[in-house]
Structure formats: structure tokens, C-alpha cells
Amino acid sequence: HKGAFSGSHVDIAAGTFVRQVSGDLKFWMFVKSSDMTTQDWEDLNREGCHWLPGGKSFLVPLEQGDVFIMPAGPRIVHAVSTPEPSYMEGGMFWDECNIFQILESVHWICEHQAATNEAIPYQLSEVLVRLWRLVEAEKAKFRNGEQGKMFNRTFHGLRSRFKQLGCYCKNSALDDCPCDLKSRRCTRLCEGHPYLPGPHHSCMKEKMVEASDAEEGV
């Protein structure tokens, strides 16, 4: 809709493509990951959609038929502004030749959920399990020049870090849920949680940001 604005965020899958199907113009603003400092990332996680890049952003005007790709791997902070009604299509993708950076980015976003404007998918744990199996079966396909022992060590290290992301609470007592205390939503990465949230698992429900809050960051 006219006037829609996303605010600053990163996409959970760390790889995005979009196409402007209709509409005269859309503004896609982004910050190169190499321009982000450690403090910038901390501020983004604390301020969420209110974070401002302070002159580090680039602006890409998208017209009808344009395709914009944010490569799979690096965490790319971006915000989208819609001056006139428009319709876009797109999706998210991974690259088998850059699997380590992708997993590093996804892990960081799962750990800092305030930096993204979308909930961590419940099926992420199942996707990761299938990825582990695929990589184990076809290591050469993903290795991309990495030596065997180094690849195995890095891959298994990332796998262990993902397994440590979830909490071990089995109830919805948010006042003592480790994920909630870190401003994270519980997912299937958490032990003792169902595939989808039940009526007693409020800790798994998405924490919505009010539209008025996002508008203040314009």
C-alpha cells in the first residue's frame, strides 16, 4: 500500500530476491555488511526497525520489471519504502557454495530475533536436519575448496551451535523462559516444545511489533 515502510531489518534466510511486478516505483535501501560495525549490529538488535544507518545506506529505485537480489550468505540490513501502490513477488534462497556464511548468518539472526521483522520458522529445525544429512552424503558438493578436515570441523561446530540455540523449558511461564529473557521466540529448536504452539505455549507465539512503532523509525 502507498506509504508502507518496513523499517530496518535482516531477512531470516540470509538470501533474498524480489521482482517489481507492478507499480511505478519502490525504494529499496540497504547497508553493505562490510560497512556494519560490531556496535551497529548491537544497536540493530536493540532498536530493531527503529535503527538508523547514519548515512551508510544505499538506495535502489525499483521500477516495474526490475529484479533485485541480495546474495545468500551475508547479513544485509535493509528497509523498503513504497511511495505508490505496488505488487512484488520473490523468495529466499541458499547457495551450496557458501553454506558456512549462510549458516553463520542464520544462527546470528536466530540469536538476535529483534533484528528481523519475521518470525523464526517453526520448520527451521527440520530444514537444518535435512541439510545436515545432505551435506554428510555429498560433502564434495558443498566443500567449495575447503579441505576435508577443516570442512568437517567447521560444519560440525556450526551444527552444535544451532543445537544450543533453544531453551529447555516445557511450559509457557514467560518470566523464567530463557528464550523470552533474551527477546527470542521459542521454536522447535527448543527441547520439549511441539511442532506448532498449543494453547499453553504462548512463548512460541510471534511477538508482533505495532505498525505505529515501525512508522516512528521513518
Side-chain angles (χ1 to χ4, degrees):
H1 297 287
K2 180 179 179 179
F5 179 70
S6 70
S8 301
H9 65 282
V10 290
D11 289 344
I12 176 60
T16 300
F17 70 93
V18 292
R19 181 171 76 92
Q20 179 88 341
V21 178
S22 65
D24 293 332
L25 190 64
K26 201 175 189 85
F27 294 117
W28 199 281
M29 294 156 280
F30 71 95
V31 181
K32 293 191 296 184
S33 56
S34 58
D35 289 342
M36 293 286 289
T37 65
T38 300
Q39 187 62 52
D40 287 334
W41 289 116
E42 292 176 359
D43 292 344
L44 174 67
N45 183 55
R46 184 179 65 255
E47 300 171 20
C49 62
H50 303 292
W51 182 78
L52 299 175
K56 294 183 178 182
S57 62
F58 292 81
L59 185 144
V60 179
L62 298 176
E63 300 177 325
Q64 185 171 333
D66 285 346
V67 175
F68 186 73
I69 298 174
M70 293 193 298
R75 304 191 303 269
I76 300 178
V77 183
H78 59 285
V80 185
S81 178
T82 309
E84 298 294 337
S86 69
Y87 174 72
M88 302 191 83
E89 65 179 6
M92 298 183 180
F93 65 99
W94 286 353
D95 175 7
E96 65 191 32
C97 293
N98 198 22
I99 198 66
F100 287 162
Q101 188 179 25
I102 291 168
L103 291 175
E104 288 278 6
S105 294
V106 173
H107 181 275
W108 187 91
I109 297 167
C110 286
E111 208 170 26
H112 303 86
Q113 292 181 25
T116 183
N117 64 352
E118 54 195 332
I120 306 304
Y122 291 122
Q123 66 268 37
L124 177 61
S125 58
E126 277 70 24
V127 171
L128 289 172
V129 167
R130 294 190 182 197
L131 177 63
W132 308 145
R133 291 172 181 167
L134 183 61
V135 173
E136 291 288 358
E138 303 182 44
K139 282 195 174 91
K141 184 177 182 180
F142 294 87
R143 197 170 287 169
N144 192 29
E146 293 277 357
Q147 296 297 319
K149 289 184 178 179
M150 182 180 295
F151 179 92
N152 290 341
R153 186 163 51 248
T154 305
F155 181 72
H156 287 293
L158 281 165
R159 186 173 177 175
S160 297
R161 285 166 58 193
F162 268 101
K163 289 183 177 180
Q164 295 168 9
L165 264 181
C167 69
Y168 295 92
C169 68
K170 297 179 188 266
N171 56 57
S172 57
L174 298 183
D175 55 344
D176 58 8
C177 170
C179 285
D180 189 68
L181 292 173
K182 295 179 180 178
S183 299
R184 299 201 303 252
R185 183 186 72 158
C186 290
T187 66
R188 274 294 301 276
L189 293 169
C190 301
E191 293 291 332
H193 285 71
Y195 183 70
L196 294 175
H200 304 298
H201 286 87
S202 57
C203 55
M204 292 182 74
K205 293 180 180 176
E206 183 175 355
K207 297 176 175 65
M208 297 297 291
V209 177
E210 295 294 332
S212 58
D213 290 342
E215 290 167 5
E216 292 176 8
V218 177

Coordinates of all heavy atoms in Angstrom, one line a residue, residues 80-121:
V80 N 12.5 -1.0 3.2 CA 11.7 -0.9 1.9 C 10.7 0.2 2.1 O 9.9 0.1 3.0 CB 11.1 -2.2 1.5 CG1 10.5 -2.0 0.1 CG2 12.2 -3.3 1.4
S81 N 10.6 1.1 1.2 CA 9.6 2.2 1.2 C 8.8 2.2 -0.1 O 9.3 1.9 -1.2 CB 10.3 3.6 1.3 OG 9.4 4.6 1.3
T82 N 7.5 2.4 0.1 CA 6.5 2.3 -1.0 C 5.8 3.6 -1.2 O 4.8 3.8 -0.5 CB 5.5 1.1 -0.8 OG1 6.2 -0.1 -0.4 CG2 4.6 0.9 -2.0
P83 N 6.3 4.5 -2.1 CA 5.6 5.8 -2.3 C 4.3 5.7 -3.0 O 3.4 6.5 -2.8 CB 6.6 6.6 -3.1 CG 7.4 5.5 -3.8 CD 7.5 4.4 -2.9
E84 N 4.1 4.6 -3.8 CA 2.8 4.4 -4.6 C 2.5 2.9 -4.5 O 3.3 2.1 -4.2 CB 3.0 4.8 -6.0 CG 3.3 6.3 -6.3 CD 2.2 7.2 -5.8 OE1 1.0 6.7 -5.8 OE2 2.4 8.4 -5.5
P85 N 1.2 2.6 -4.6 CA 0.8 1.2 -4.5 C 1.6 0.3 -5.5 O 1.9 0.7 -6.6 CB -0.7 1.2 -5.0 CG -1.2 2.5 -4.6 CD 0.0 3.4 -4.9
S86 N 2.1 -0.8 -5.0 CA 2.9 -1.7 -5.9 C 2.7 -3.2 -5.5 O 2.2 -3.5 -4.4 CB 4.4 -1.4 -5.8 OG 4.9 -1.7 -4.5
Y87 N 3.1 -4.1 -6.3 CA 3.0 -5.5 -6.1 C 4.3 -6.1 -6.4 O 4.9 -5.9 -7.5 CB 1.9 -6.1 -6.9 CG 1.8 -7.6 -6.8 CD1 1.3 -8.2 -5.6 CD2 2.2 -8.5 -7.8 CE1 1.3 -9.6 -5.5 CE2 2.1 -9.9 -7.7 CZ 1.7 -10.4 -6.5 OH 1.6 -11.8 -6.4
M88 N 4.9 -6.9 -5.5 CA 6.1 -7.6 -5.7 C 6.0 -9.1 -5.5 O 5.1 -9.5 -4.7 CB 7.2 -7.0 -4.8 CG 7.4 -5.5 -4.9 SD 8.9 -5.0 -4.0 CE 10.2 -5.4 -5.2
E89 N 6.9 -9.8 -6.1 CA 7.0 -11.3 -5.8 C 8.4 -11.6 -5.6 O 9.3 -10.8 -6.0 CB 6.5 -12.1 -7.0 CG 7.3 -12.0 -8.3 CD 6.7 -12.8 -9.4 OE1 5.7 -13.5 -9.2 OE2 7.4 -12.9 -10.5
G90 N 8.7 -12.7 -4.9 CA 10.1 -13.0 -4.6 C 10.2 -14.2 -3.7 O 9.2 -15.0 -3.5
G91 N 11.4 -14.4 -3.2 CA 11.6 -15.6 -2.3 C 12.9 -15.5 -1.7 O 13.7 -14.5 -1.8
M92 N 13.3 -16.6 -1.0 CA 14.6 -16.7 -0.4 C 15.3 -17.9 -0.8 O 14.7 -18.9 -1.2 CB 14.4 -16.7 1.2 CG 13.8 -15.4 1.7 SD 13.6 -15.4 3.5 CE 12.9 -13.8 3.7
F93 N 16.6 -17.9 -0.8 CA 17.4 -19.0 -1.4 C 18.7 -19.1 -0.7 O 19.2 -18.2 -0.1 CB 17.6 -18.7 -2.9 CG 18.5 -17.5 -3.2 CD1 19.9 -17.7 -3.5 CD2 18.0 -16.2 -3.2 CE1 20.7 -16.6 -3.7 CE2 18.8 -15.1 -3.4 CZ 20.1 -15.3 -3.7
W94 N 19.3 -20.3 -0.8 CA 20.6 -20.6 -0.3 C 21.5 -21.0 -1.4 O 21.1 -21.4 -2.5 CB 20.6 -21.7 0.8 CG 20.0 -21.2 2.1 CD1 19.7 -20.0 2.4 CD2 19.7 -22.1 3.2 NE1 19.2 -19.9 3.7 CE2 19.2 -21.2 4.2 CE3 19.8 -23.4 3.5 CZ2 18.8 -21.6 5.5 CZ3 19.4 -23.9 4.8 CH2 18.9 -23.0 5.7
D95 N 22.8 -21.0 -1.2 CA 23.8 -21.3 -2.2 C 24.7 -22.4 -1.6 O 25.4 -22.2 -0.6 CB 24.6 -20.0 -2.5 CG 25.8 -20.2 -3.4 OD1 25.9 -21.3 -4.0 OD2 26.6 -19.3 -3.6
E96 N 24.8 -23.5 -2.3 CA 25.6 -24.6 -1.8 C 27.1 -24.3 -1.7 O 27.8 -25.0 -1.0 CB 25.4 -25.8 -2.7 CG 25.9 -25.7 -4.1 CD 25.4 -26.8 -5.1 OE1 24.3 -27.3 -4.9 OE2 26.2 -27.1 -6.0
C97 N 27.5 -23.3 -2.4 CA 29.0 -22.9 -2.4 C 29.3 -21.9 -1.3 O 30.4 -21.5 -1.1 CB 29.4 -22.3 -3.7 SG 29.4 -23.5 -5.1
N98 N 28.3 -21.5 -0.5 CA 28.5 -20.5 0.5 C 27.8 -20.9 1.8 O 27.3 -20.1 2.5 CB 28.0 -19.1 0.1 CG 28.6 -18.0 0.9 OD1 29.7 -18.2 1.6 ND2 28.0 -16.9 0.9
I99 N 27.7 -22.2 2.1 CA 26.9 -22.7 3.1 C 27.3 -22.3 4.5 O 26.5 -22.0 5.4 CB 26.8 -24.3 3.1 CG1 25.6 -24.8 3.9 CG2 28.1 -24.9 3.5 CD1 24.3 -24.4 3.3
F100 N 28.6 -22.1 4.8 CA 29.1 -21.7 6.1 C 28.7 -20.3 6.4 O 28.2 -20.1 7.5 CB 30.6 -21.8 6.2 CG 31.1 -23.2 6.3 CD1 32.5 -23.5 6.0 CD2 30.3 -24.3 6.6 CE1 32.9 -24.8 6.0 CE2 30.7 -25.6 6.7 CZ 32.1 -25.9 6.4
Q101 N 28.8 -19.4 5.5 CA 28.4 -18.0 5.8 C 26.9 -17.9 6.0 O 26.4 -17.1 6.8 CB 28.9 -17.0 4.7 CG 28.7 -15.6 5.1 CD 29.1 -14.6 4.0 OE1 29.2 -15.0 2.8 NE2 29.4 -13.4 4.4
I102 N 26.2 -18.7 5.2 CA 24.7 -18.7 5.3 C 24.3 -19.2 6.7 O 23.5 -18.5 7.4 CB 24.1 -19.6 4.3 CG1 24.3 -19.0 2.9 CG2 22.6 -19.8 4.6 CD1 23.9 -19.9 1.7
L103 N 24.9 -20.3 7.2 CA 24.6 -20.8 8.5 C 25.0 -19.9 9.6 O 24.3 -19.7 10.6 CB 25.2 -22.2 8.7 CG 24.6 -23.3 7.8 CD1 25.4 -24.6 8.0 CD2 23.1 -23.5 8.1
E104 N 26.2 -19.2 9.4 CA 26.6 -18.2 10.4 C 25.6 -17.1 10.5 O 25.2 -16.7 11.6 CB 28.0 -17.6 10.0 CG 29.1 -18.6 10.2 CD 29.6 -18.6 11.6 OE1 29.0 -18.0 12.5 OE2 30.7 -19.3 11.9
S105 N 25.1 -16.6 9.4 CA 24.1 -15.5 9.4 C 22.8 -15.9 10.0 O 22.2 -15.2 10.8 CB 23.9 -15.0 7.9 OG 25.1 -14.4 7.4
V106 N 22.3 -17.1 9.6 CA 21.0 -17.6 10.1 C 21.1 -17.8 11.6 O 20.2 -17.5 12.4 CB 20.6 -18.9 9.4 CG1 19.3 -19.5 10.1 CG2 20.3 -18.6 7.9
H107 N 22.2 -18.3 12.1 CA 22.4 -18.5 13.5 C 22.4 -17.2 14.2 O 21.7 -17.1 15.3 CB 23.7 -19.3 13.8 CG 24.0 -19.5 15.2 ND1 24.6 -18.6 16.1 CD2 23.7 -20.6 16.0 CE1 24.7 -19.1 17.3 NE2 24.2 -20.3 17.3
W108 N 23.1 -16.2 13.7 CA 23.1 -14.9 14.4 C 21.7 -14.3 14.4 O 21.3 -13.8 15.5 CB 24.0 -13.9 13.6 CG 24.2 -12.6 14.3 CD1 25.2 -12.3 15.2 CD2 23.4 -11.5 14.2 NE1 25.0 -11.0 15.6 CE2 23.9 -10.5 15.0 CE3 22.2 -11.2 13.4 CZ2 23.3 -9.2 15.2 CZ3 21.6 -9.9 13.6 CH2 22.2 -8.9 14.4
I109 N 20.9 -14.4 13.4 CA 19.6 -13.9 13.3 C 18.7 -14.6 14.3 O 17.8 -14.0 15.0 CB 19.0 -13.9 11.9 CG1 19.8 -13.0 11.0 CG2 17.5 -13.5 11.9 CD1 19.5 -13.2 9.5
C110 N 18.8 -16.0 14.4 CA 18.0 -16.7 15.4 C 18.4 -16.3 16.8 O 17.5 -16.3 17.7 CB 18.3 -18.2 15.2 SG 17.6 -19.0 13.8
E111 N 19.6 -15.9 17.0 CA 20.1 -15.5 18.3 C 19.6 -14.1 18.6 O 19.5 -13.7 19.8 CB 21.6 -15.6 18.4 CG 22.1 -15.9 19.8 CD 23.6 -16.2 19.8 OE1 24.3 -15.8 18.8 OE2 24.0 -16.9 20.7
H112 N 19.5 -13.2 17.6 CA 19.1 -11.8 17.7 C 17.8 -11.5 17.0 O 17.8 -10.9 15.9 CB 20.3 -10.9 17.2 CG 21.6 -11.2 17.9 ND1 22.4 -12.2 17.5 CD2 22.2 -10.6 19.0 CE1 23.5 -12.2 18.2 NE2 23.4 -11.3 19.2
Q113 N 16.7 -12.1 17.5 CA 15.5 -12.0 16.7 C 14.9 -10.6 16.5 O 14.0 -10.4 15.7 CB 14.5 -13.0 17.3 CG 14.9 -14.4 17.1 CD 13.9 -15.4 17.7 OE1 12.7 -15.1 17.8 NE2 14.3 -16.6 18.1
A114 N 15.3 -9.7 17.4 CA 14.8 -8.3 17.2 C 15.3 -7.6 16.0 O 14.8 -6.6 15.6 CB 15.2 -7.5 18.5
A115 N 16.4 -8.2 15.4 CA 17.0 -7.6 14.2 C 16.2 -8.0 12.9 O 16.5 -7.5 11.8 CB 18.4 -8.1 14.0
T116 N 15.3 -8.9 13.0 CA 14.5 -9.3 11.8 C 13.0 -9.0 12.0 O 12.6 -8.9 13.1 CB 14.6 -10.8 11.5 OG1 13.9 -11.2 10.3 CG2 14.1 -11.7 12.7
N117 N 12.3 -8.8 10.9 CA 10.9 -8.4 11.0 C 10.0 -9.6 10.7 O 8.8 -9.5 10.4 CB 10.5 -7.3 10.1 CG 10.7 -7.6 8.6 OD1 11.2 -8.7 8.3 ND2 10.3 -6.7 7.7
E118 N 10.6 -10.8 10.8 CA 9.8 -12.0 10.5 C 10.1 -13.1 11.6 O 11.2 -13.1 12.1 CB 10.0 -12.6 9.1 CG 11.5 -12.8 8.9 CD 11.8 -13.1 7.4 OE1 10.9 -13.5 6.7 OE2 12.9 -12.7 7.0
A119 N 9.1 -13.9 11.9 CA 9.3 -14.9 12.9 C 10.3 -16.0 12.4 O 10.3 -16.3 11.3 CB 8.0 -15.5 13.4
I120 N 11.0 -16.6 13.4 CA 11.9 -17.7 13.0 C 10.9 -18.9 12.6 O 10.0 -19.3 13.4 CB 12.7 -18.2 14.2 CG1 13.6 -17.0 14.7 CG2 13.7 -19.3 13.8 CD1 14.4 -16.3 13.7
P121 N 11.1 -19.5 11.5 CA 10.1 -20.5 11.0 C 10.1 -21.7 12.0 O 11.2 -22.2 12.4 CB 10.6 -20.9 9.6 CG 11.5 -19.8 9.2 CD 12.1 -19.2 10.4

